[in-house]
Amino acid sequence: MKLLITGGCGFIGSAVVRHLIATTDWQIANIDKLTYAGNLENLKDIEGKPNYHFEKADITDEARIDQLFLQYSFSHIIHLAAESHVDRSIMDPMAFVKTNVLGTAILLNACIKAWSDNFKDKLFYHVSTDEVYGSLGETGFFTEDTPYDPRSPYSASKAASDHLVRAWHHTYGLPVLTTHCSNNYGPFHFPEKLIPLVIHQALSGKPLPIYGDGMQIRDWLYVRDHCRAIERVLQAGEPGQAYNIGGWNEKANLDIVQTVCALLDELRPDPAGPYRRLITYVTDRPGHDRRYAIDARKIERELGWRPAETFETGIRKTVQWYLDHPDWVADVQSGAYKDWVGQNYGAR
Ligand code: NAD
Ligand code: TYD
């Protein structure tokens, strides 16, 4: 297998690259633009492996993408490159339209050109999100048949890319797979997202911002469980199908922040007092989705995947990883992170 992974220097992409280098002998090329969210440090441990190649490239650069398809003769693609943060999408939506929509179309078209209608043993695997389904009320779950109802520029751009993937399948016969995953957490997570942001802020003695009432619900999945699911879907998923991936771990944001505070109190106590003293309610995110929850029975029934971590085991590993990696933390804190925190929706 000659596998292209896009966005392999990001949070999930780097975990996928590391996982597949460890579990397979596939040739893997990682194409990443190295935006603020992409970091070569995330893959330092696998640099130099003979079956791993890195190319700095932008997926919206059609000529460069076509040239890389010629150079590497990819047979399979796992497409993760994206602008991924909802708050940034509210402030700069066009970057999301460009990378997530145009970038995906350019990759799909590159497959058509490179594979010249011979799709035997070829696959385009698109990594999408549960956010394309919109927001749930107090009950119910997202299934693969839930109608699309994206509500942020981020989720709308991901929904648009999902539709392009489906269209290339129906129109050109391109073999595709799509997965919709819930909120991931774990090592190497850029500290603009809730869990790593709260860890960094707490360790710096700074406010822990809770948007609105903090009772919004997300369904959390440890990133390595997502990697195991991606490997399973890549190898056994039925082309043309979609699979929802979730952790059966619904938590309100306030619970998440309190759990992180309690773990830090245990592992790195602050003489100034419990970390929960830093919790600060701030203005809500515009259009904030209230609840996400994944029904992950299809992937369990058809492909035999289930998460291995509970939230309790996964969040403990995550907090410990941040405490054990002050260099990585210092590196990201010195760059884009510094410019970002505090720009959210202000005090309430
Ligand atoms: P991330 O922001 O951490 O990483 C994105 C990566 O894509 C970075 O390395 C960045 O440099 C790269 N990239 C961005 N624009 C690019 C471009 N134009 N060309 C080439 N590379 C580019 O994101 P993540 O959290 O790792 O998410 C990865 C994928 O998984 C995304 O498609 C996202 O929509 C999806 N997803 C994420 C979650 C989550 O909880 N993080 C959940 C479900 C789905
Ligand atoms: P986030 O990690 O940005 O992921 P997503 O918006 O894709 O679900 O946010 C997770 C939840 O936490 C979401 O409901 C917004 C909320 N949140 C806060 O309350 N405070 C924060 O500082 C951040 C970044 C998020």
Side-chain angles (χ1 to χ4, degrees):
M1 183 181 304
K2 290 185 179 163
L3 178 63
L4 163 61
I5 296 182
T6 68
C9 295
F11 163 51
I12 300 173
S14 60
V16 171
V17 171
R18 184 176 299 102
H19 176 78
L20 293 178
I21 288 284
T23 58
T24 74
D25 57 2
W26 301 338
Q27 289 291 325
I28 297 178
N30 168 14
I31 291 183
D32 198 296
K33 182 183 173 183
L34 298 179
T35 68
Y36 77 93
N39 190 343
L40 287 173
E41 292 294 315
N42 295 2
L43 288 171
K44 201 96 193 134
D45 52 331
I46 65 146
E47 259 174 26
K49 299 261 183 204
N51 58 335
Y52 173 69
H53 312 271
F54 172 69
E55 297 283 351
K56 184 173 188 297
D58 184 336
I59 58 166
T60 68
D61 180 346
E62 187 171 4
R64 182 81 201 287
I65 293 299
D66 288 346
Q67 175 257 315
L68 288 168
F69 267 74
L70 275 179
Q71 184 180 332
Y72 285 95
S73 305
F74 303 121
S75 60
H76 293 65
I77 293 157
I78 305 178
H79 175 35
L80 293 121
E83 289 291 342
S84 69
H85 187 37
V86 173
D87 292 323
R88 286 183 194 260
S89 83
I90 293 167
M91 293 176 194
D92 181 16
M94 293 316 289
F96 286 68
V97 174
K98 190 172 178 209
T99 286
N100 300 0
V101 185
L102 180 63
T104 301
I106 283 173
L107 287 168
L108 289 164
N109 239 11
C111 293
I112 301 295
K113 288 184 258 182
W115 296 339
S116 322
D117 290 339
N118 180 3
F119 298 137
K120 191 172 165 348
D121 299 325
K122 304 286 194 301
L123 184 69
F124 186 98
Y125 178 163
H126 181 55
V127 177
S128 187
T129 165
D130 59 353
E131 302 191 24
V132 298
Y133 299 126
S135 183
L136 289 163
E138 284 181 12
T139 58
F141 293 88
F142 296 135
T143 72
E144 290 77 2
D145 297 324
T146 300
Y148 275 52
D149 184 22
R151 293 147 50 104
S152 72
Y154 164 67
S155 55
S157 69
K158 290 296 290 187
S161 66
D162 294 2
H163 290 314
L164 291 171
V165 170
R166 288 179 187 198
W168 258 250
H169 175 66
H170 286 287
T171 307
Y172 306 110
L174 184 70
V176 303
L177 282 165
T178 301
T179 50
H180 301 277
C181 192
S182 61
N183 286 60
N184 284 217
Y185 67 99
F188 299 108
H189 203 181
F190 192 82
E192 62 187 356
K193 308 279 171 65
L194 180 67
I195 289 178
L197 180 128
V198 163
I199 298 171
H200 287 297
Q201 291 285 98
L203 292 175
S204 322
K206 292 186 179 157
L208 314 180
I210 303 274
Y211 297 169
D213 64 3
M215 297 315 288
Q216 303 83 4
I217 288 174
R218 300 290 183 264
D219 175 356
W220 295 92
L221 182 71
Y222 192 62
V223 66
R224 255 175 246 149
D225 277 329
H226 190 187
C227 295
R228 289 175 40 250
I230 288 176
E231 182 182 9
R232 184 74 193 128
V233 171
L234 185 75
Q235 292 193 303
E238 189 186 327
Q241 289 290 310
Y243 300 88
N244 285 356
I245 305 172
W248 302 104
N249 269 317
E250 281 185 64
K251 304 273 180 205
N253 294 338
L254 192 56
D255 287 347
I256 295 287
V257 175
Q258 283 168 340
T259 301
V260 169
C261 288
L263 279 167
L264 287 172
D265 286 338
E266 178 194 326
L267 299 169
R268 181 72 57 84
D270 183 349
Y275 287 99
R276 64 172 182 274
R277 74 185 192 284
L278 299 170
I279 289 176
T280 307
Y281 289 88
V282 299
T283 304
D284 207 353
R285 170 188 283 173
H288 198 168
D289 287 341
R290 193 70 183 167
R291 175 171 168 258
Y292 304 145
I294 284 275
D295 179 338
R297 282 178 298 178
K298 178 176 174 182
I299 187 172
E300 179 176 356
R301 189 175 61 243
E302 296 187 8
L303 305 181
W305 174 88
R306 266 191 78 81
E309 300 285 346
T310 63
F311 187 71
E312 289 64 35
T313 58
I315 193 70
R316 181 173 284 276
K317 284 184 188 173
T318 303
V319 171
Q320 190 64 58
W321 185 88
Y322 281 92
L323 292 173
D324 292 344
H325 291 82
D327 291 351
W328 188 87
V329 173
D331 183 44
V332 296
Q333 269 180 329
S334 65
Y337 170 81
K338 196 173 81 214
D339 301 334
W340 173 255
V341 170
Q343 279 188 23
N344 289 333
Y345 309 105
R348 199 164 63 168

